[in-house]
């Protein structure tokens, strides 16, 4: 069973940056990966995705500020988040975009002054 471990979250001021990491216990070669987030009281939403070949796609509200990337050798997916906003406070998760694996614990991102 694939295990996902997200890290890199924390408390950051508005306008600040964080880099999230996701380590996958199995291979991610050929896997379409994605980052999601879930804010308190809201449904989980797709934030960014990256194909096996490296093509990326973003939620409109994060375009130009977030960058998803991957390292197939390390079995890792990353997301650089810049110019963070308070409304982006949420637990962030990664997962297989096409066939959802069991969710990891996520990493908490809190944007607050």
């Amino acid at each position: 069973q694939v295990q996902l471990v997200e890290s890199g979250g924390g408390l950051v001021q508005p306008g600040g940056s964080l880099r999230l990491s996701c380590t996958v216990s199995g291979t991610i070669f050929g896997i379409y990966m994605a980052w999601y987030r879930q804010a308190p009281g809201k449904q989980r939403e797709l934030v960014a995705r990256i194909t096996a070949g490296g093509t990326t796609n973003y939620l409109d509200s994060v375009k130009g500020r977030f960058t998803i990337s991957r390292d197939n050798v390390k079995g890792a997916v990353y997301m650089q988040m810049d110019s963070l906003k308070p409304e982006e406070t949420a637990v962030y998760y990664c997962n297989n975009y096409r066939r959802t694996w069991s969710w990891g614990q996520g990493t908490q991102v809190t944007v607050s002054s």
Side-chain angles (χ1 to χ4, degrees):
Q1 181 174 344
V2 175
Q3 293 186 328
L4 300 164
V5 179
E6 299 91 351
S7 62
L11 173 63
V12 64
Q13 292 187 342
S17 299
L18 286 172
R19 184 175 188 252
L20 305 184
S21 297
C22 168
T23 301
V24 183
S25 62
T27 183
I28 62 169
F29 278 98
I31 303 295
Y32 197 164
M33 295 295 297
W35 280 98
Y36 302 79
R37 66 187 178 194
Q38 187 167 19
K42 295 187 177 181
Q43 289 189 333
R44 188 173 287 150
E45 66 175 348
L46 175 65
V47 178
R49 45 194 167 112
I50 183 166
T51 68
T55 300
T56 58
N57 188 277
Y58 298 92
L59 182 68
D60 282 348
S61 63
V62 308
K63 285 180 181 177
R65 299 186 296 115
F66 288 16
T67 304
I68 187 172
S69 60
R70 63 191 293 154
D71 185 329
N72 291 333
V73 174
K74 293 183 177 179
V77 183
Y78 308 99
M79 188 160 69
Q80 176 68 37
M81 307 188 297
D82 298 319
S83 302
L84 282 160
K85 304 176 181 180
E87 56 265 36
E88 293 174 322
T89 293
V91 180
Y92 285 70
Y93 304 86
C94 67
N95 214 313
N96 181 332
Y97 177 69
R98 294 293 190 199
R99 297 181 64 182
T100 304
W101 295 320
S102 295
W103 293 94
Q105 292 190 331
T107 185
Q108 175 71 48
V109 172
T110 302
V111 186
S112 175
S113 56

